[in-house]
Amino acid sequence: MSVRVLVTGGTGLVGQGIKYVIDTEPANSPFGKQDGEEWFFVGSSEADLRNAEQTKKLFEKYKPTHVIHLGALVGGLFINMKRKLDFLRDNMLINDNVLHNAHEFKCKKVISCLSTCVYPDKVEYPLDETKIHLGLPHESNFGYAHAKRLVDIQNRAYKDQYGDNFTSAIPTNVFGPHDNYDLESAHVLPALVHRCYLAKKNNTPFVVWGSGKPLRQFIYSRDLAKLFIWQLRNYDDVEPLILSVGEDEEVSIKEVADAVVKALGFKGEYKFDTSKADGQFRKPASNKKLLGLIKDTGFKFTPFDQALQESVEWFLQNYEKART
Ligand code: NDP
């Protein structure tokens, strides 16, 4: 039976991570391409998924049997605060068009991508798969958060009404090759890489905003890619699944900045601007459910320093074509 996997958002950070794993792991190995599988990685130039007609044409062209749906308007805190309606509306349209067509084209499986930043602002930690809807999201990103939460609601409605096999994944902070390094819209880790790079180039101080003390869980895009591939083949439940390193693998912003300084060989002045806000101190997510499910797969997370080094090398080699 032929398996045709359509990856929306296939040109982005996570999509390119999946492409890398599919292209480089040995055929028929646990995370490699299997006989009979075809993978299609598409970005917005192939179809604007906010547009119903273009989305339908995309499905007509690729006739997917399976979909990993990553396509989204994505960004860091600053841009989320500035464009709440765009984040709400674009993502609602994108998700509705993709899920509707996946249903119409009788896809056997869809995994859509949520995020731990769509969780309630006031919630008991650690986050787990049962807590997504237990309160309002943080004010700063409520557009993105509500749009993403609706995917889980839609998945349940498709299953309830039609028995569709639609589910979702919840990654924590992702980083890796093909990240968004644009200083206005980047997430914290690629922003630190870019700012340290500029400090080195211009011989200026590397200033990290805040105290550096907050803790976050970072997952390497190529590790996340393997988990998506595993989930596509093995996980048939509408309940979302957190894809993350463990709570004991939280890294402080200072540790990230130290690793960036080391990876870039930056020798100049390096300081913290404590007049800038720190954000939440920590918002740990539990990967207990995931670890229970993948324990026999041989999967291992890449050590943070190694993953960061690989990402920085990609950034340096691709500065001209990266999103900067
Ligand atoms: P990127 O910004 O790197 O990639 C976004 C992808 O979505 C690109 O392929 C882009 O296409 C595509 N896209 C955006 N708008 C449209 C549109 N209107 N029509 C079609 N395609 C569109 O994001 P990530 O790879 O980081 O994110 C992938 C998924 O992971 C998203 O759903 C995001 O919410 C989720 N996520 C990301 C996290 C992170 O830390 N980065 C954390 C948790 C979840 P193109 O570039 O060709 O325009």
Side-chain angles (χ1 to χ4, degrees):
M1 189 199 68
S2 97
V3 171
R4 299 171 64 82
V5 187
L6 179 68
V7 182
T8 71
T11 52
L13 166 65
V14 181
Q16 286 295 301
I18 297 177
K19 184 167 189 313
Y20 175 85
V21 171
I22 287 295
D23 288 348
T24 57
E25 288 284 309
N28 298 316
S29 65
F31 304 108
K33 194 164 149 181
Q34 308 294 302
D35 289 342
E37 265 182 15
E38 284 180 274
W39 288 74
F40 308 100
F41 296 87
V42 298
S44 64
S45 64
E46 282 235 29
D48 182 344
L49 298 172
R50 293 170 301 182
N51 180 296
E53 202 47 43
Q54 290 186 31
T55 311
K56 187 174 174 201
K57 287 211 170 86
L58 184 76
F59 275 74
E60 276 167 358
K61 179 174 173 187
Y62 289 105
K63 298 184 176 50
T65 57
H66 296 66
V67 179
I68 297 181
H69 171 39
L70 308 170
L73 180 60
V74 184
L77 179 69
F78 180 76
I79 194 145
N80 259 285
M81 287 168 69
K82 216 164 115 180
R83 295 179 55 197
K84 292 200 181 91
L85 183 68
D86 293 342
F87 274 86
L88 177 69
R89 194 152 183 263
D90 283 12
N91 286 318
M92 275 175 26
L93 288 168
I94 288 173
N95 297 333
D96 188 51
N97 285 330
V98 169
L99 292 182
H100 173 69
N101 280 287
H103 170 73
E104 291 291 301
F105 282 77
K106 300 187 171 39
C107 291
K108 293 188 170 64
K109 172 94 171 260
V110 179
I111 307 175
S112 299
C113 199
L114 310 185
S115 162
T116 46
C117 60
V118 315
Y119 271 81
D121 181 31
K122 295 187 176 55
V123 66
E124 211 172 287
Y125 292 101
L127 306 174
D128 68 30
E129 286 83 355
T130 67
K131 297 180 181 171
I132 302 172
H133 304 286
L134 296 188
L136 290 174
H138 193 266
E139 163 68 20
S140 59
N141 73 341
F142 76 76
Y144 176 78
H146 280 299
K148 286 280 185 185
R149 286 180 184 196
L150 269 178
V151 173
D152 177 56
I153 305 289
Q154 274 184 289
N155 285 344
R156 291 170 195 274
Y158 274 111
K159 181 181 165 105
D160 201 59
Q161 192 169 336
Y162 296 112
D164 287 333
N165 187 10
F166 294 178
T167 190
S168 54
I170 312 178
T172 44
N173 302 272
V174 189
F175 70 101
H178 300 273
D179 210 337
N180 174 15
Y181 291 93
D182 177 284
L183 288 177
E184 202 173 310
S185 59
H187 290 107
V188 57
L189 190 150
L192 285 174
V193 171
H194 196 177
R195 290 225 305 276
C196 186
Y197 167 85
L198 291 177
K200 185 178 175 186
K201 189 170 149 209
N202 301 328
N203 212 6
T204 52
F206 172 40
V207 184
V208 180
W209 287 8
S211 68
K213 287 183 184 150
L215 300 168
R216 295 290 181 267
Q217 284 156 296
F218 291 95
I219 182 162
Y220 188 33
S221 57
R222 291 173 179 173
D223 291 346
L224 179 61
K226 289 181 179 169
L227 296 175
F228 264 109
I229 293 165
W230 173 87
Q231 189 178 2
L232 186 76
R233 294 175 182 152
N234 298 289
Y235 182 83
D236 290 324
D237 191 340
V238 69
E239 296 297 331
L241 184 60
I242 291 176
L243 305 181
S244 173
V245 300
E247 289 163 72
D248 52 346
E249 289 177 68
E250 284 177 307
V251 178
S252 72
I253 301 303
K254 178 175 185 312
E255 284 172 295
V256 176
D258 286 349
V260 168
V261 162
K262 193 169 153 219
L264 281 168
F266 176 72
K267 304 262 187 289
E269 189 187 349
Y270 162 32
K271 58 187 180 188
F272 293 83
D273 179 354
T274 50
S275 72
K276 296 281 193 304
D278 258 347
Q280 226 162 326
F281 177 59
R282 60 191 292 250
K283 38 183 183 179
S286 164
N287 68 352
K288 210 166 141 192
K289 180 174 170 186
L290 172 73
L291 293 189
L293 291 166
I294 62 168
K295 61 179 184 306
D296 299 325
T297 61
F299 172 83
K300 284 202 170 50
F301 289 104
T302 309
F304 178 75
D305 281 349
Q306 182 190 330
L308 185 82
Q309 184 72 42
E310 288 175 16
S311 309
V312 166
E313 274 163 25
W314 183 91
F315 171 74
L316 293 174
Q317 281 161 17
N318 294 277
Y319 189 77
E320 295 307 324
K321 67 171 190 201
R323 285 175 282 174
T324 52

